[in-house]
Amino acid sequence: MKKLTRIAKHAACALGWMAYLGLGFACPGVSAQSGAQAVPTPASVLGHTPGDDFYLASYDEAIGYFHKLAESSNRIKMFTVGKTTRGVAMELAVISSPENLAQLDKYKDISRQLTQARGLDDAAARSLAQQGKVVVHIDGGMHSDEVAGGQHSIALAYRLVSAQNDPEVDAILNNVILVLWPTLNPDGQNEVVAWYRKNLGTKFEASELPDLYQEYVGHDNNRDGYMNNMLESQQITRAELEWNPEVFYCQHQTAPFPTRIFIPPFVEPISSNIDPILARWLNLFGVNMAAYLDEHQMPGAVNRVGFDNWYPGFQDFTGIFRNSISFFTETALYAYATPHFYTVEDFPKDYQPLTAQVFYSSPWQGGWWRLKDAVDYMVGASMSVLDLSAKNRTELLYNKYQAGRDNIERFQKNPPYAYVIPREQRDLPTAAKLVQTMMTNGIEINEAAKPFAANGKTYPSGSWVILMDQPYAGLVKELFEVQIYPELRQSPNGPPIKPYDVSGWTLPMQMGVDVDGVLQPVPAEQRANLRTLTQFTMPDGTVQGAGPVYLVSHQANSSFRALNGILAAGVQASFATKAAEGGVEPGTIVVTGPTRERIGEIAGNNSLAVHSAAKAPADLVATKKPRVGLYRPWTPSIDEGWTRWILEQYGFAPVTLRNGDIQAAHLLERFDAIILPDSRQSNILNGFGPGTLPGEYVGGIGRAGVEALREFVQGGGTLIAFNNASIFAIDQLGLPVTNVLAGLKDDEFYCVGSLLRVEIPDASRPGAWGMPRDPVVMLERGPAFAPKANFRGAVIADYPEDVNPLASGYLLHPEKLEGKAAEMEVGYGEGRVYLFGFRPQWRGQSQGTYKLIFNAIYDSPNVAKPTTFPKPPTPPAVPAAAKPEGGEKTKADQKPAKPEDPDDDPRLER
Ligand SMILES: [Zn+2]
């Protein structure tokens, strides 16, 4: 209760707010500071005030303004942190008092010492907390069509830098070091603003951007928090580890209508790996923010609806496992900078009486909603965070130390005491990537200089060991342990309360890496044999044996990068089709021609152990570099972006196929394999509806596209369909396959983002080469398959009979999956269709199933002909594209195209 009494009363700052809100209060000297030149207003530089109707500042323009601010004032310094995916410099501003800015290194060091919580006792930590300043991260958001965030950063910077005789701002500048990112996605802000300007004043003014506003992952840029696959995520995480913010606050839009801003506390459930004090602080920041907004005549804030924080990969939440109080808010949005008028009749029925609720005590009454309103709410919300931080400086600093200290103590007394990542792995380079991922997250990693004994085993030297008595150990446990999503139901026997995102993500399972938890304390003599890594390096490659034939295992993902490089250079390569002596397995890559030096280089670049032999195995099939087409709809497809990114990483060089490219037919002349990323069937067929966007972006592949794909497969091409695109392939090509999950209600079957164990019935099939017997797959709102009569093909992966396949997360009614197929290869004419019912490349995390994609691409009849199906007497019957079989498709077709979410969830915009 002590803390709660600190919820602020802000009467003293009303004058500053009147000035900011433009209420006619003219403060003498508001634009000039002693010792510095005049502080420019945003309007004087940009020609507009952020929040003006129909105006948005681009990132480049915003940065221009920030530089002008920095030239005019000693309250702000600019720093460049790195490049975006599209090559733009990512910058942040640090705002504080001139005295604090003059001693930034000292304050960063205090924050670092408190965060690490080592070499300090409580008294020393108290003393440091008294000397230190609270570091607060605030940003302009990362979802670039949530446009107010990037405008708010300009307004917030101006308010803090220009304020005079404002006790609230003075207290903030004296006690807080604000790390202000104009936006976390510069590329997207530039792109969205250009799109809006192009359409402004036309009937497409509010139209959706027909592109991913982060080059590869669009909206999923807030799902990359712990993987840091994208450059932007890496910059954000690196800066967080450098500045060690006590508070991390990210701006989003949009609030659940008609509320004006969603604010924490979040809804259940919560991870047990979060420090309890920080979880309390998070709630306090939220409740304080709502009170602050009400106090400043900004009604309509709501807490505790819709958004949970179960998934730790939200970029604006991962930091809480590094003991930074991390959260986001969602401010209302109409469309871009276009204003909109709402009446109470527009509200959902429940909200029309305007009744006060516990966490919605100032219901919004309707009226105009302008960009300026959203900007004001965001500036208010940010000010409340800064104000509360300033008032609780010492406690926040000390509590961060306390969280690190308690984590260290917790894992000195409780298991797991450590995790071991052995060097003996099916896919060592991927295991090394797991280690690298943890290091990027600020986790301390050791390498065993001598054999390491634990769990009654001896791990060879070189094994990686994560000792858990470290300040961010909660993040390791969160990512390595099995998730048990709680049984939350809407009513005792009713459907489950859905997680906002996925329910399970256990990273070693997803990556197919063996990791052992250590259940006994690690004795001092074992610790003495560990060396802490200061820098990560991938394992060396090796070439062993003698002879002109080189054998590369099919088990490592990076073997495909090597293979693609070898084939692109014109060197001959084959796959072994049968096991043979010398460790040859079905799928072993056999290379002849290059010099040993060249092979050594390739092995080194891909961390591969290559074996050389005197002669090649007898059973071989020659291959060539597959030509891969990747369908890219105008409705921005996050799955397409992730797929493109992964294929590029592994050297597949996919070619983008737009609707017209598919409709142009003759696909077999250009491609061996074509991938349809996860999408609703209606989306692939129809795309954006007529009149919703300029004509060139409207429509899907339509009937002509279906016919072109049919011709491609019948002629010998390989079509690969991910997740719900499988339904499209089944219906439109008339494949003899049923989706056994079709039509099931949430209380009949439920699995949204869980890890399930499947089995590979026949590892000698090319589609399954290199896979372990029982890999783990990510099932996220996808189908499961059963063959119909006349089925010609093979099951690549299935859910075992009489076994609950749940490995991590949540699964209701597992019996619906038992004995059903998770991935199938279906013969069709001369070609084949690979149907994936799961997410084989989910967010760049499910690396344990990448090979299933790579295999499907290489198993194109034009590339390698290792297996054929017995041919049926006639090709399967094909319904017309306009009249597909299956009720599901008809239903889906009646719905408008909706790009992101293959489910029907009215998902909010986090
Ligand atoms: Zn968002």
Side-chain angles (χ1 to χ4, degrees):
M1 289 309 289
K2 184 167 164 253
K3 294 268 161 62
L4 285 172
T5 59
R6 293 205 183 97
I7 290 178
K9 290 293 166 199
H10 306 280
C13 58
L15 288 186
W17 265 97
M18 286 173 67
Y20 168 73
L21 293 171
L23 298 178
F25 173 75
C27 178
V30 74
S31 62
Q33 284 174 256
S34 58
Q37 60 192 95
V39 173
T41 62
S44 72
V45 175
L46 300 168
H48 293 270
T49 299
D52 279 358
D53 286 351
F54 310 112
Y55 171 75
L56 292 171
S58 69
Y59 177 72
D60 296 339
E61 290 158 351
I63 284 296
Y65 176 68
F66 272 90
H67 282 270
K68 291 267 195 263
L69 268 188
E71 285 162 19
S72 72
S73 168
N74 51 8
R75 293 180 183 175
I76 174 170
K77 280 188 177 178
M78 297 299 294
F79 294 85
T80 301
V81 290
K83 287 276 167 71
T84 66
T85 305
R86 293 175 184 158
V88 174
M90 267 181 113
E91 296 189 48
L92 59 80
V94 177
I95 297 175
S96 192
S97 70
E99 297 74 30
N100 292 344
L101 288 183
Q103 302 181 79
L104 264 186
D105 287 345
K106 171 183 147 185
Y107 292 121
K108 280 169 86 171
D109 191 56
I110 290 175
S111 212
R112 185 191 55 76
Q113 286 191 59
L114 290 169
T115 300
Q116 289 300 315
R118 281 170 166 159
L120 296 176
D121 59 19
D122 292 357
R126 280 264 178 230
S127 164
L128 278 177
Q130 272 153 10
Q131 297 165 47
K133 306 293 174 187
V134 188
V135 180
V136 177
H137 162 116
I138 292 180
D139 60 64
M142 66 186 95
H143 290 156
S144 305
D145 54 2
E146 301 165 9
V147 293
Q151 313 302 307
H152 127 280
S153 342
I154 301 169
L156 179 66
Y158 175 65
R159 172 150 163 71
L160 294 171
V161 172
S162 68
Q164 298 287 300
N165 305 316
D166 183 332
E168 184 188 21
V169 170
D170 288 346
I172 290 169
L173 296 175
N174 289 334
N175 291 289
V176 173
I177 292 169
L178 168 62
V179 178
L180 176 64
W181 297 65
T183 174
L184 298 179
N185 183 12
D187 292 346
Q189 187 172 345
N190 281 337
E191 186 178 17
V192 165
V193 171
W195 172 251
Y196 182 63
R197 286 182 185 167
K198 187 175 139 192
N199 296 321
L200 193 61
T202 75
K203 64 174 179 168
F204 302 118
E205 183 171 313
S207 290
E208 184 183 345
L209 177 77
D211 194 23
L212 296 168
Y213 48 65
Q214 195 281 348
E215 176 62 30
Y216 294 106
V217 304
H219 199 82
D220 259 7
N221 61 354
N222 196 27
R223 306 292 193 278
D224 194 33
Y226 57 77
M227 285 309 285
N228 293 294
N229 280 318
M230 294 298 117
L231 278 181
E232 290 83 351
S233 317
Q234 292 164 23
Q235 320 294 12
I236 298 161
T237 300
R238 202 170 50 237
E240 192 204 316
L241 292 169
E242 179 187 340
W243 291 91
N244 297 297
E246 276 69 39
V247 183
F248 186 110
Y249 171 35
C250 180
Q251 298 285 353
H252 286 263
Q253 293 178 281
T254 187
F257 186 71
T259 73
R260 292 297 90 188
I261 179 171
F262 164 80
I263 296 176
F266 300 101
V267 299
E268 302 292 345
I270 184 177
S271 164
S272 298
N273 296 318
I274 298 170
D275 181 86
I277 305 173
L278 304 185
R280 304 280 185 192
W281 269 111
L282 197 161
N283 294 341
L284 183 59
F285 270 98
V287 174
N288 179 67
M289 185 183 287
Y292 189 103
L293 291 175
D294 280 348
E295 187 180 352
H296 291 87
Q297 290 76 51
M298 290 181 259
V302 70
N303 317 85
R304 260 184 94 73
V305 290
F307 300 93
D308 69 43
N309 258 335
W310 180 245
Y311 174 61
F314 296 116
Q315 185 83 51
D316 48 25
F317 188 62
T318 308
I320 202 156
F321 298 95
R322 287 187 283 264
N323 306 327
S324 186
I325 302 159
S326 303
F327 56 93
F328 66 94
T329 56
E330 301 269 350
T331 303
L333 169 70
Y334 175 61
Y336 306 106
T338 300
H340 191 74
F341 190 87
Y342 298 92
T343 68
V344 172
E345 286 70 47
D346 298 327
F347 292 7
K349 282 269 178 294
D350 290 0
Y351 283 94
Q352 290 190 2
L354 303 178
T355 313
Q357 300 172 21
V358 173
F359 284 107
Y360 186 52
S361 54
S362 55
W364 190 56
Q365 318 245 335
W368 279 105
W369 186 255
R370 298 176 181 280
L371 179 62
K372 179 176 193 310
D373 297 309
V375 170
D376 287 346
Y377 273 61
M378 286 184 176
V379 172
S382 291
M383 287 297 290
S384 85
V385 168
L386 294 166
D387 179 69
L388 192 68
S389 300
K391 287 175 171 143
N392 295 278
R393 176 176 61 86
T394 314
E395 285 79 2
L396 285 166
L397 286 161
Y398 187 76
N399 287 167
K400 190 166 194 199
Y401 155 77
Q402 209 173 349
R405 180 200 70 187
D406 292 353
N407 252 326
I408 292 169
E409 283 178 11
R410 175 184 171 195
F411 292 105
Q412 280 168 346
K413 293 176 186 154
N414 300 289
Y417 296 92
Y419 285 101
V420 183
I421 305 170
R423 284 268 172 168
E424 290 151 341
Q425 300 275 350
R426 285 181 67 84
D427 182 351
L428 178 64
T430 298
K433 285 178 102 177
L434 174 62
V435 173
Q436 183 181 28
T437 299
M438 300 312 287
M439 258 186 105
T440 304
N441 275 297
I443 302 301
E444 192 177 273
I445 310 272
N446 299 286
E447 203 172 283
K450 292 184 181 167
F452 181 80
N455 299 334
K457 284 200 241 177
T458 301
Y459 298 93
S461 57
S463 295
W464 295 286
V465 179
I466 302 178
L467 294 171
M468 287 293 278
D469 51 349
Q470 56 176 301
Y472 310 154
L475 181 60
V476 185
K477 187 159 178 285
E478 180 76 6
L479 298 184
F480 281 15
E481 72 184 357
V482 167
Q483 279 75 50
I484 300 169
Y485 185 78
E487 268 290 345
L488 300 171
R489 299 292 186 100
Q490 293 171 21
S491 59
N493 291 312
I497 293 176
K498 305 177 181 196
Y500 183 74
D501 199 77
V502 296
S503 59
W505 49 82
T506 312
L507 205 46
M509 282 185 184
Q510 287 202 75
M511 295 179 76
V513 174
D514 290 332
V515 175
D516 291 343
V518 175
L519 304 178
Q520 299 296 324
V522 179
E525 63 270 23
Q526 290 291 332
R527 285 174 168 262
N529 293 333
L530 300 177
R531 301 282 171 267
T532 303
L533 296 183
T534 52
Q535 206 185 347
F536 177 80
T537 45
M538 287 295 284
D540 291 337
T542 56
V543 184
Q544 288 170 342
V549 175
Y550 301 103
L551 305 175
V552 183
S553 164
H554 203 98
Q555 294 182 3
N557 289 338
S558 66
S559 295
F560 283 88
R561 192 188 299 110
L563 176 61
N564 284 325
I566 286 167
L567 293 170
V571 175
Q572 294 247 316
S574 309
F575 294 114
T577 55
K578 290 182 182 159
E581 60 186 26
V584 172
E585 293 181 334
T588 295
I589 298 162
V590 182
V591 183
T592 48
T595 62
R596 199 176 175 91
E597 288 69 32
R598 177 72 192 115
I599 281 290
E601 224 174 279
I602 292 166
N605 291 341
N606 296 287
S607 300
L608 292 170
V610 173
H611 294 270
S612 67
K615 64 182 183 65
D619 298 297
L620 286 181
V621 57
T623 189
K624 63 173 187 176
K625 190 161 193 298
R627 302 164 302 168
V628 189
L630 176 60
Y631 174 55
R632 185 171 182 179
W634 289 113
T635 48
S637 167
I638 293 169
D639 201 53
E640 180 276 331
W642 277 117
T643 307
R644 181 160 37 95
W645 180 73
I646 289 159
L647 293 182
E648 286 176 9
Q649 295 290 307
Y650 285 91
F652 282 92
V655 173
T656 289
L657 290 175
R658 293 293 191 178
N659 295 325
D661 300 317
I662 291 183
Q663 289 160 343
H666 306 296
L667 294 165
L668 212 48
E669 293 166 17
R670 297 180 59 203
F671 301 103
D672 303 302
I674 290 177
I675 298 176
L676 300 176
D678 178 32
S679 179
R680 286 178 178 184
Q681 173 159 221
S682 59
N683 220 25
I684 300 173
L685 286 170
N686 306 325
F688 283 120
T692 58
L693 264 87
E696 63 264 41
Y697 306 114
V698 163
I701 68 167
R703 189 186 174 92
V706 171
E707 290 309 319
L709 289 174
R710 186 197 320 285
E711 178 193 72
F712 169 73
V713 185
Q714 278 187 332
T718 295
L719 183 67
I720 300 165
F722 289 158
N723 224 42
N724 287 297
S726 297
I727 309 294
F728 164 89
I730 292 169
D731 285 356
Q732 298 302 324
L733 300 183
L735 303 179
V737 174
T738 308
N739 170 18
V740 299
L741 303 178
L744 294 179
K745 297 192 183 76
D746 283 352
D747 53 355
E748 296 169 321
F749 176 80
Y750 191 72
C751 180
V752 55
S754 297
L755 301 179
L756 307 182
R757 201 167 285 286
V758 297
E759 62 183 8
I760 303 286
D762 181 1
S764 70
R765 286 213 72 81
W769 282 345
M771 290 297 293
R773 194 182 49 78
D774 56 350
V776 167
V777 301
M778 164 61 81
L779 182 67
E780 195 203 23
R781 306 172 190 196
F785 310 113
K788 288 184 185 170
N790 298 329
F791 175 78
R792 186 170 66 94
V795 171
I796 301 297
D798 63 27
Y799 299 102
E801 293 277 6
D802 302 323
V803 177
N804 183 343
L806 180 63
S808 185
Y810 183 85
L811 176 59
L812 184 65
H813 291 301
E815 73 281 0
K816 297 286 197 309
L817 290 175
E818 288 172 18
K820 302 300 187 287
E823 183 194 344
M824 279 186 136
E825 178 191 353
V826 188
Y828 189 83
E830 297 294 314
R832 69 196 73 207
V833 182
Y834 274 91
L835 302 174
F836 285 84
F838 52 90
R839 311 294 305 272
Q841 57 2 345
W842 184 74
R843 294 179 187 165
Q845 299 184 24
S846 51
Q847 299 180 20
T849 47
Y850 281 5
K851 277 188 290 288
L852 294 170
I853 308 172
F854 300 163
N855 283 338
I857 291 172
Y858 265 94
D859 188 20
S860 160
N862 280 352
V863 176
K865 290 194 180 179
T867 55
T868 50
F869 304 116
K871 273 202 175 181
T874 52
V878 175
K883 291 183 184 175
E885 67 178 33
E888 196 179 333
K889 189 255 160 195
T890 313
K891 188 175 151 224
D893 254 357
Q894 289 163 353
K895 291 176 191 152
K898 189 181 168 208
E900 270 181 13
D901 188 350
D903 201 353
D904 288 334
D905 291 1
R907 200 193 267 206
L908 301 168
E909 288 299 322
R910 177 174 193 180

